Amino acid sequence: MRKPISIAVCAGLLALSIGTSQAGLLMKPTYNPDLDYQADILKGTYDAALTHPDSILGFPVGQRVATPYQINKSIQTWRTQTDRMKVVEYARSHEDRPLHAVFISSPSNLANMDDILEKLDALSDPRRTSESEAKELINELPAIAWMAYSIHGNETSGADAALASIYHYAASEDPKIRKMLDDMIIVIDPIMNPDGRDRFAKSLEQYRGTAPNVDDQALLHRGDWPYGRTNHYFFDLNRDFFYLTQPETKGRVALINKWRPQLMIDGHEMGPQDTYLMGPPRQPLNFNIAPSVQKWAKTFSIDQGQAFDKEGWRYYTGEWFENWYPGYSNYAEYRGSMHILYEQSRMAEDGVRRPEGTIQTYKESVHHQFVSTIANLESLHKYSKEMYQDYWKDRKSLVEKDSPYANRTFIVSANNNHTRMNTLVEKLLAQDIEVFVANKDFSVKKATNHLGQTFNTTVSKGSLVIPNRQPEARLLAAIMEFDAQILPETVEDERQKILREGRSIMYDTSAWNLTMMYGLEALTVPDHITNNIEPWKAQDKNQTLSAKDAIAWAVNGDDDASVGFAARLMERGVQVRVIDKATQLGKETLVRGSVVVTITDNPNTSDLIELINTTAKETKLSIQNITTGYGTGDLPEWGGDHFQLLTKPQIGVIGQAGTSSNDVGATWWSIDTHLGIRHSHLDTAAISRTDLRRYNVLVMPSAWSVSDSTAKALKTWVQQGGTLITHEGATQALASKDGTTVKLVSDIFKDAEKFDIALQRRLLAEESVDDMEDLFATTVSEDVSYPWDDAPKRLSEDELKKRDKWQQLFMPAGAMVSGSVDQEHWLSFGTNEQLPLLYGRQPVLVVPENAEAVVTVGVYKDKKSTKKSKDKDDDKAKAIAWYSLPQDKELHVRMSGLLWPEAAQRIANSAYLTRERVGSGQIIMFSGEPIFRGATLGTNRLLLNAIVYGPGMGTRANIEL
């Protein structure tokens, strides 16, 4: 056995940690015995043919944070030194760092991996495997574990424990380990977020002094903006397991799904003053997790607890940890894997002084993760066959006629937004979910839509049809059902927690349905649909490109890719138009929002056809070749006002300290992913001294505050013709200052009637004119009605303030609410009349008459008369907040998730998206984050419209002479 590096050497390494070249200039730190952790992480007899990790790292494993380079170097070294390892590179990060899955097993198992995969596939699909075949497969299959660490880059101890674990299992000469590897394949995913870890490791180098630091408030432990938690685009990769927006997740999920592990662990860290959390979780638990999986979670937890008891380490289970949102790494639970979360108190490096006065070292935190790994793998080795039996029973039950999922089908209505529909299909297929398409129109009964309305309807040809009765029924239900169920007692606990402490027991958003996130119309049908459908397959039809004999060329504005088409053409110097009203030019029907390039706008662009075709291929759009500019009937012609000339966007994204790195990153990613055009990142602290004339679009993602000097500089820039787009916190900050007429709801109670009348005006604008006789009468009518006629008694300012303060307690952690979209506004191109909105603890905006509410919360429907109602006032207008509800109407707000009635009243009729002119420019405000986690594609379209079309559609552009 190789001897560990001595304590003296460790102290010397620590003293030299900021650079040996400067060692002679710096004072040597004093010795602190509390930092001298004596226990060995690696103990036992190891094969001398494998280089000890201490020799590769230059310090004892777990003593300091190993960089991604050092971890990869270790893996590449060992793969050549043993026949127990096979290394698979499953992805490359945005910064081109490799992500590896290290397979450790007996040489025999590694040589038969293809055969093992075939057996796993057979066991996973009871439709093609008999009971006797399943029994034989279970006897033959090895246990399979997927051990994953440090998905958050600044939660470092997991990856260092993974490094020790790889060496331990690959090099150990213990007969028990050899026996385990004969029966098991261990897959170790040591560093799930190399870009974030590299960022954090660099900050450790920058803030490390000669003496160890045990203050968890120090920059050494905390890092700085955007911190190391997230990847290159500041995405939290542990929220991306079914959204699949990032390369790290896409590659990882593909390999996990291929290997269908029985056990999946995820090594994290939490607050430095905490101890150690392990599974199982508490309520709320997602109803789609199999009971057998929850049973094994408890069994493994007991074994893991005993391993910690043996060492005298403190730990706990459950408490704050719940499993309702299915987008974490525990998504594998819905596919039959048993998932365990590790949460080690975060030491960053050196150690942290604890509340009881002791110091917990970084090496000890690594040791905790290592012991957890060993304990869980030993449990799997012990219980694997029983777990396979439970897995088979559950998979078989899912495809039977009496399955809870047997008689339910999800339908996504056919539409022209092929880019978004294909994205949805891509995500479903990545999870082995079977997707079909309607090959003809057919009728369905008792279909339910996003608003909860049930009716009989016709499914159009081309609609996606996804029966829930299939092997991946649990995961399919978890991500596609409109409303995730929750136990009544959990709802009660949540409300009591809010009332007692003003905080939630929910760890994450309570709504995540993919069709709602994507803004696609969908239905749930209580039937197992098998007729009039065929398996979905990618369209192979030829792409239509530009014809030379056309006078104009267009792409369909319903498709999200049309915005990128316009942006990329403008960046190439092409003059581009967009139409704000549907028309038909000859044989070509152009929808509202279609992008048009005319020959007359581009007389000197000799390669115009080539540029259009190149951009069409990049965006995967077909070209509509237009041979006449004359509109059919009364529809617009190409020379009128409805064909708006665009201005090339010159974009700045405002970020850095004081802004939400998640929202900054998602905005940045959206521009790079959906547009792929140039833009600049600006520092919010330097805006007042930045030359803003270089930009005509500024996007300000969510911020904690906006200084007066920044607000003043932005207002001046907007007045001169700029388009300012704000999200959530930035919106709240600017709406509370002078310079915008859009207000926060808590600031308008003194003038509530004025804002209510503005609301009624917008609602009346959507009503039809019924009484033509009065309209064309020659005498003055005595019966003209006004919005304030028959208005209910309004609530007083004091009452509105009291209600608002109370309602704020119940604002959602993240619920889906219905949005009503102004179909006449250019910001709503490519958006349906009703748009699901992910709504959280965000500013509630109210719009006066001189500003535009493009999307408002709530959809009005005619009220259904009920015989049960005896209240004569039921059909009268009612004042329940600053607004009054019209008579004979009901307002649908909640679509999915936990939304308390108090919060629904507060946000109803508020604006999600506003636009107002300020001088020669405009301010566009989102009350929330339009591209949350890269997944809210419905509201992201609004953001893309604002960025690309804003300079040409909403401002008074300068004219070049």
Side-chain angles (χ1 to χ4, degrees), residues 185-200:
I185 295 177
I186 302 170
V187 187
I188 296 182
D189 188 355
I191 176 170
M192 292 196 279
N193 180 5
D195 292 355
R197 186 180 181 90
D198 191 75
R199 186 189 311 131
F200 186 67

Side-chain angles (χ1 to χ4, degrees), residues 745-752 794-808 880-882:
V745 69
S746 54
D747 293 336
I748 61 99
F749 297 142
K750 188 175 182 179
D751 299 314
R794 297 188 180 278
L795 300 174
S796 68
E797 182 180 353
D798 286 344
E799 178 64 20
L800 287 171
K801 287 180 178 179
K802 281 195 294 185
R803 287 196 182 193
D804 188 66
K805 186 176 181 180
W806 182 262
Q807 291 165 348
Q808 286 181 48
I880 58 174
W882 60 271

Side-chain angles (χ1 to χ4, degrees), residues 31-35 212-217 221 271-274 314 345-347 349-362:
Y31 174 72
N32 185 338
D34 289 342
L35 284 165
N213 188 302
V214 296
D215 176 11
D216 61 20
Q217 294 186 146
H221 290 273
Q273 299 297 338
D274 215 316
R314 294 194 299 155
S345 52
R346 192 166 72 86
M347 302 297 109
E349 203 164 82
D350 297 340
V352 166
R353 190 170 295 282
R354 310 276 304 157
E356 64 274 12
T358 63
I359 292 176
Q360 183 173 306
T361 65
Y362 180 69

Side-chain angles (χ1 to χ4, degrees), residues 90 99 148-151 189-194 237 248 252 266:
Y90 64 76
L99 290 100
Y149 305 85
S150 298
I151 199 167
D189 188 355
I191 176 170
M192 292 196 279
N193 180 5
L237 295 176
E248 300 95 331
R252 179 175 303 121
D266 190 358

Side-chain angles (χ1 to χ4, degrees), residues 508-693:
D508 210 293
T509 176
S510 67
W512 51 80
N513 171 272
L514 264 183
T515 56
M516 293 182 187
M517 297 288 278
Y518 282 16
L520 294 169
E521 291 184 0
L523 301 170
T524 301
V525 178
D527 188 17
H528 180 59
I529 296 176
T530 57
N531 295 327
N532 306 314
I533 62 174
E534 60 189 33
W536 184 93
K537 58 183 179 181
Q539 298 296 312
D540 295 327
K541 64 181 182 181
N542 294 328
Q543 185 181 21
T544 303
L545 297 177
S546 303
K548 292 183 179 180
D549 59 350
I551 62 171
W553 303 266
V555 294
N556 192 302
D558 285 343
D559 198 299
D560 293 341
S562 63
V563 191
F565 178 83
R568 296 174 73 82
L569 276 178
M570 284 189 282
E571 194 165 76
R572 287 172 164 138
V574 176
Q575 295 284 350
V576 178
R577 294 179 183 269
V578 67
I579 63 172
D580 61 13
K581 185 177 180 180
T583 190
Q584 182 161 340
L585 304 178
K587 296 181 180 180
E588 296 298 330
T589 299
L590 304 184
V591 303
R592 191 177 72 96
S594 290
V595 176
V596 182
V597 179
T598 72
I599 195 168
T600 54
D601 287 331
N602 298 278
N604 300 317
T605 308
S606 58
D607 57 348
L608 181 61
I609 298 293
E610 181 182 345
L611 291 175
I612 293 172
N613 285 339
T614 296
T615 309
K617 290 175 182 177
E618 291 169 345
T619 53
K620 300 179 181 178
L621 293 172
S622 284
I623 299 295
Q624 293 177 269
N625 291 288
I626 300 168
T627 56
T628 178
Y630 195 90
T632 302
D634 293 330
L635 296 176
E637 281 84 19
W638 73 332
D641 288 343
H642 294 291
F643 284 70
Q644 298 271 345
L645 185 65
L646 297 177
T647 299
K648 184 181 80 170
Q650 296 171 208
I651 308 162
V653 178
I654 301 173
Q656 298 297 309
T659 62
S660 164
S661 59
N662 291 135
D663 194 24
V664 171
T667 303
W668 175 20
W669 173 86
S670 182
I671 294 172
D672 277 357
T673 301
H674 297 284
L675 304 178
I677 59 174
R678 295 168 182 82
H679 56 284
S680 298
H681 291 259
L682 307 177
D683 186 349
T684 184
I687 290 298
S688 61
R689 53 184 188 276
T690 299
D691 184 0
L692 298 180
R693 294 175 299 174

Side-chain angles (χ1 to χ4, degrees), residues 728 731-732 735 742-749 804 807-808 811-812 839-847 857 882-883 902-912 914 926-928:
E728 198 166 299
T731 293
Q732 175 149 340
V742 176
K743 298 299 179 186
L744 303 175
V745 69
S746 54
D747 293 336
I748 61 99
F749 297 142
D804 188 66
Q807 291 165 348
Q808 286 181 48
M811 289 293 281
Y839 208 99
R841 298 183 182 99
Q842 62 200 57
V844 179
L845 303 179
V846 186
V847 178
V857 175
W882 60 271
Y883 55 85
E902 293 89 343
Q905 281 193 1
R906 185 170 192 255
I907 68 177
N909 289 309
S910 67
Y912 176 83
T914 71
F926 289 86
S927 80

Side-chain angles (χ1 to χ4, degrees), residues 284-303:
L285 297 175
N286 196 293
F287 279 37
N288 294 296
I289 300 173
S292 58
V293 170
Q294 297 177 24
K295 175 191 75 176
W296 288 114
K298 183 68 174 178
T299 301
F300 276 63
S301 176
I302 292 171
D303 290 351

